[in-house]
Amino acid sequence: MHGSLTRRRRAGLALLTSAALAAASALVAATAVTAPASAATSATVTVNTGTSLGTIPAAGHGVNVAVYDGNMNSAPVSGLLRDAGFTAVRYPGGSYGDIYHWKTHTTEGGYVAPGTDFDTYVSTVRSAGAQPVVIANYGTGTAQEAADWVRYANVTKGYGVKYWEIGNEVYGNGHYGSGWEQDNHADKSPKAYANNVLQYISAMKAVDSSIKVGVVLTTPGGWPDGIVGSGDSADWNNTVMSIVQDKADFVIVHWYPGATSAADSLTKVSQIAPMVSTIRSLLGKYAGSRASSIGIAVTEANLNYQLNSATTALGAADSYLTWFENGVMNVDWWSLHNGTSSSPKTNDDGTTDYNDFGILSSGSSGEPPVNTPLPPYYGLAMVGKAGSPGDTLVKASSSSSLLAAHAVKTSGGVNVVLVNKDLNNSTTVSLSYSGFSPGGAASVVQWRKGATSISTSTASSATSITLPPYSITVLKASGGGTTSPSPSPSASPSPSPSPSPSASPSTSPTPGGSGCSATYKVVNSWPGGFQAEVTVTNTRTSAISGWTVGWSYRNGQTISSSWNATVSQSGAAVTAKNVSYNGGLAAGASTSFGFTANGAGDVPSPISCTTG
């Protein structure tokens, strides 16, 4: 990840010269790639509108901008953002967040382009109908500087900026040997960062208590996750969360998986559910009763392989919807414009690659004219076509590994997102719906490799469609539901209505004299797994000093991680015992524990609870 960031910092230099290069060079338009003749394959997709995977978050669909980008506020940008359905824009740009001083609109050792100040940025974001996501300067700033920024934004100007991060990739400050993130603190340890974060949170919320403040974590499985630095007793994430505990409103990771081929790149979406599960376990370990309400934000994301390819467009759409299905509150693509310092090459999928992290061309030498949409723009725009904030994500499954399927229940029907990852073959898809009866004709919104626009058409039926090779399709079916989904709670601290659990809570029958009761509910689910919460209540008229909860699964589910209880499993039988800090309960008092598991998220019955 740090290697990617180094490239992104250098890319800013390419942007500085893009205008001069554009004036001196004839820039070529984006070239459409003609798809090879293809054979038809077949697949089936099942949509279950009775199984909710949460809702599309209010500020979920995001992109990064940077103060070194002189085109970030140019005239076409707000319209392009709005047309793509972006609901969040992050500022002032990755590592620049740790060197940028908002009061003077300057950086320490970087470049700031004209017309990229905070007020102009907010104007662009508002025109696009999106929300700001702001990085408060940790590396070269202070808690007071951050608090003053909150005051200016939300008190003086009334902008209502809700989401604030404390620093960018602060773990890249050299503490683990590799340093790309500026950090002027004498102590660069995770302990120092966490203690300073508490000061930032206190100072910023003293100005506006309604804001949401995020803390930086390392990406599970990425460098330096799991490394214990010199003088530390634990790795970055465990150290930071053991100190911050429940004081942050969301946690932040970045995702740059990289790949060895186009086909490999399109498999990286499989990393998402385990990563979220790992983060949820970490929060459960340290954040107590607030663990389930602390959001997860992926404030930088890019597949980081053949950046301007159709492959990346497909992966962008598939990954964003998968993040949302796993309860993530915000994902911000890197980036709007980025620039390039290399000549165009040909991608695995036959498209042209400018080695530019941007979704819009920066107009660098060899690139199309500035603000020309590149393939990832269209992939992300298709996410915007899938549904709106507050719409319910429901379960969709595909019979083919080369066909990703997602579904969104809206007020008007069901939108099915189909990503055909087969480079050479069209795919005829048969769709079936549970809990929903599609009407006659359906609307088809589609982008395919080589296209320079998103098309709309009409299909005679919502139960069958043939997809072009390497394409993203939103099949919009109207009709009526035969059952209503029960959405799962959102982990997002967004202002959107908080949905109810995906499976109704089941209160276990309590044997006479057992002294406690247990309530089990599924709070999140995804293909192949789920997250559940069990609440234990002391039903005695006196205090208890310990409890044990037990149940048996019916369909082969297996526990994968847990927090706030010691959970063990033998075959189908699961036993959960209190940990040292939550065994003692006063009369009528309750505590809860959580876990993630593999399998279907149905509610077992009966559930036993005993004291002692």
Short mmCIF file of all heavy atoms in Angstrom, two decimals, residues 38 63 74-75 77 92 105 114 129 156 163 185 191 228 239 260 330 349 368 385 431 451 497 541:
data_model
loop_
_atom_site.label_atom_id
_atom_site.label_comp_id
_atom_site.label_asym_id
_atom_site.label_seq_id
_atom_site.Cartn_x
_atom_site.Cartn_y
_atom_site.Cartn_z
N SER A 38 -18.22 -13.22 -30.02
CA SER A 38 -18.32 -14.04 -28.83
C SER A 38 -19.38 -15.11 -28.97
O SER A 38 -20.34 -14.96 -29.71
CB SER A 38 -18.62 -13.17 -27.61
OG SER A 38 -19.89 -12.57 -27.77
N VAL A 63 -15.42 9.59 -3.81
CA VAL A 63 -14.21 9.73 -4.61
C VAL A 63 -13.31 10.75 -3.93
O VAL A 63 -13.78 11.61 -3.18
CB VAL A 63 -14.58 10.19 -6.05
CG1 VAL A 63 -15.16 11.60 -6.05
CG2 VAL A 63 -13.38 10.10 -6.99
N SER A 74 -13.09 22.47 -11.75
CA SER A 74 -13.40 23.02 -13.07
C SER A 74 -14.88 22.82 -13.40
O SER A 74 -15.57 21.98 -12.81
CB SER A 74 -12.51 22.38 -14.13
OG SER A 74 -12.64 20.98 -14.14
N ALA A 75 -15.38 23.59 -14.34
CA ALA A 75 -16.81 23.69 -14.59
C ALA A 75 -17.53 22.35 -14.78
O ALA A 75 -18.62 22.15 -14.24
CB ALA A 75 -17.04 24.59 -15.80
N VAL A 77 -16.96 19.43 -13.55
CA VAL A 77 -16.76 18.40 -12.52
C VAL A 77 -18.02 18.13 -11.71
O VAL A 77 -18.40 16.97 -11.49
CB VAL A 77 -15.58 18.78 -11.59
CG1 VAL A 77 -15.60 17.94 -10.32
CG2 VAL A 77 -14.26 18.56 -12.33
N PRO A 92 -8.23 16.86 1.73
CA PRO A 92 -7.61 17.54 0.59
C PRO A 92 -6.68 16.67 -0.24
O PRO A 92 -5.88 17.19 -1.00
CB PRO A 92 -6.80 18.65 1.28
CG PRO A 92 -6.33 18.02 2.54
CD PRO A 92 -7.46 17.11 2.98
N HIS A 105 -4.16 27.76 3.29
CA HIS A 105 -4.25 27.02 2.02
C HIS A 105 -2.85 26.76 1.47
O HIS A 105 -2.52 27.06 0.33
CB HIS A 105 -5.09 27.81 1.02
CG HIS A 105 -5.43 27.05 -0.23
ND1 HIS A 105 -5.89 25.75 -0.23
CD2 HIS A 105 -5.34 27.42 -1.55
CE1 HIS A 105 -6.09 25.35 -1.47
NE2 HIS A 105 -5.76 26.35 -2.29
N PRO A 114 -4.09 26.68 -7.80
CA PRO A 114 -5.08 27.75 -7.63
C PRO A 114 -6.50 27.18 -7.72
O PRO A 114 -6.77 26.22 -8.45
CB PRO A 114 -4.79 28.69 -8.80
CG PRO A 114 -3.38 28.38 -9.21
CD PRO A 114 -3.18 26.92 -8.93
N GLY A 129 -24.38 17.51 -5.15
CA GLY A 129 -25.32 16.82 -4.29
C GLY A 129 -24.66 15.81 -3.38
O GLY A 129 -25.31 14.86 -2.92
N THR A 156 -19.08 29.12 11.50
CA THR A 156 -18.96 30.36 10.73
C THR A 156 -19.70 30.26 9.40
O THR A 156 -20.49 31.13 9.04
CB THR A 156 -17.48 30.69 10.48
OG1 THR A 156 -16.80 30.78 11.73
CG2 THR A 156 -17.35 32.00 9.72
N TYR A 163 -18.24 14.41 8.36
CA TYR A 163 -17.24 13.35 8.49
C TYR A 163 -15.82 13.91 8.47
O TYR A 163 -15.42 14.57 7.50
CB TYR A 163 -17.43 12.32 7.37
CG TYR A 163 -18.81 11.72 7.37
CD1 TYR A 163 -19.75 12.07 6.40
CD2 TYR A 163 -19.20 10.83 8.37
CE1 TYR A 163 -21.03 11.54 6.41
CE2 TYR A 163 -20.48 10.30 8.39
CZ TYR A 163 -21.38 10.65 7.41
OH TYR A 163 -22.64 10.13 7.45
N HIS A 185 5.55 14.59 14.86
CA HIS A 185 5.57 14.26 16.28
C HIS A 185 6.86 13.50 16.62
O HIS A 185 7.29 12.62 15.85
CB HIS A 185 4.36 13.38 16.64
CG HIS A 185 3.06 14.08 16.48
ND1 HIS A 185 2.36 14.10 15.28
CD2 HIS A 185 2.30 14.80 17.36
CE1 HIS A 185 1.24 14.78 15.43
NE2 HIS A 185 1.19 15.22 16.68
N LYS A 191 0.69 4.22 20.02
CA LYS A 191 0.22 4.73 21.31
C LYS A 191 0.13 6.24 21.29
O LYS A 191 -0.85 6.83 21.76
CB LYS A 191 1.16 4.26 22.43
CG LYS A 191 0.76 4.75 23.82
CD LYS A 191 1.72 4.22 24.88
CE LYS A 191 1.34 4.72 26.27
NZ LYS A 191 2.29 4.23 27.31
N VAL A 228 4.54 -5.73 15.29
CA VAL A 228 4.73 -5.04 16.57
C VAL A 228 6.02 -4.23 16.47
O VAL A 228 7.11 -4.80 16.32
CB VAL A 228 4.79 -6.02 17.75
CG1 VAL A 228 5.03 -5.28 19.05
CG2 VAL A 228 3.50 -6.84 17.82
N THR A 239 -3.21 -1.57 19.46
CA THR A 239 -2.75 -0.48 20.32
C THR A 239 -3.67 0.72 20.22
O THR A 239 -4.11 1.28 21.24
CB THR A 239 -1.31 -0.06 19.93
OG1 THR A 239 -0.44 -1.18 20.05
CG2 THR A 239 -0.82 1.05 20.83
N THR A 260 -2.06 -9.83 -10.42
CA THR A 260 -1.07 -10.34 -11.37
C THR A 260 -1.64 -10.42 -12.77
O THR A 260 -0.89 -10.62 -13.73
CB THR A 260 -0.59 -11.74 -10.94
OG1 THR A 260 -1.73 -12.61 -10.82
CG2 THR A 260 0.12 -11.67 -9.58
N ASN A 330 -18.78 4.10 3.93
CA ASN A 330 -18.22 5.03 2.95
C ASN A 330 -17.06 4.36 2.22
O ASN A 330 -16.23 3.70 2.84
CB ASN A 330 -17.73 6.31 3.65
CG ASN A 330 -16.82 7.17 2.79
OD1 ASN A 330 -15.62 7.21 3.00
ND2 ASN A 330 -17.37 7.85 1.82
N ASP A 349 -7.06 -6.52 -21.16
CA ASP A 349 -8.38 -6.61 -21.79
C ASP A 349 -8.45 -5.88 -23.13
O ASP A 349 -9.52 -5.76 -23.73
CB ASP A 349 -9.47 -6.10 -20.84
CG ASP A 349 -9.26 -4.64 -20.42
OD1 ASP A 349 -8.65 -3.87 -21.18
OD2 ASP A 349 -9.73 -4.27 -19.33
N PRO A 368 -6.36 11.54 -23.15
CA PRO A 368 -7.45 12.30 -23.75
C PRO A 368 -7.56 13.68 -23.11
O PRO A 368 -6.93 13.95 -22.09
CB PRO A 368 -8.68 11.45 -23.43
CG PRO A 368 -8.17 10.10 -23.09
CD PRO A 368 -6.81 10.31 -22.49
N LYS A 385 -26.26 4.11 -10.50
CA LYS A 385 -27.50 3.69 -11.16
C LYS A 385 -28.17 2.54 -10.42
O LYS A 385 -29.35 2.24 -10.67
CB LYS A 385 -27.22 3.25 -12.60
CG LYS A 385 -26.46 4.23 -13.46
CD LYS A 385 -27.21 5.52 -13.69
CE LYS A 385 -26.44 6.44 -14.64
NZ LYS A 385 -27.08 7.77 -14.76
N LEU A 431 -33.24 -15.15 -14.54
CA LEU A 431 -33.38 -14.61 -13.20
C LEU A 431 -34.67 -15.11 -12.55
O LEU A 431 -35.72 -15.18 -13.20
CB LEU A 431 -33.41 -13.08 -13.23
CG LEU A 431 -32.17 -12.37 -13.78
CD1 LEU A 431 -32.38 -11.97 -15.23
CD2 LEU A 431 -31.85 -11.13 -12.95
N ALA A 451 -17.19 1.37 -24.46
CA ALA A 451 -18.22 2.38 -24.59
C ALA A 451 -17.80 3.68 -23.92
O ALA A 451 -17.11 3.67 -22.90
CB ALA A 451 -19.53 1.88 -23.97
N PRO A 497 -32.21 6.53 8.06
CA PRO A 497 -32.94 5.76 9.07
C PRO A 497 -32.25 4.45 9.37
O PRO A 497 -31.76 3.78 8.47
CB PRO A 497 -34.31 5.55 8.41
CG PRO A 497 -34.42 6.63 7.38
CD PRO A 497 -33.02 6.89 6.92
N THR A 541 -33.69 -11.11 41.14
CA THR A 541 -33.86 -9.88 41.92
C THR A 541 -32.58 -9.50 42.65
O THR A 541 -32.56 -8.53 43.41
CB THR A 541 -35.00 -10.06 42.94
OG1 THR A 541 -34.70 -11.18 43.78
CG2 THR A 541 -36.32 -10.27 42.23
#
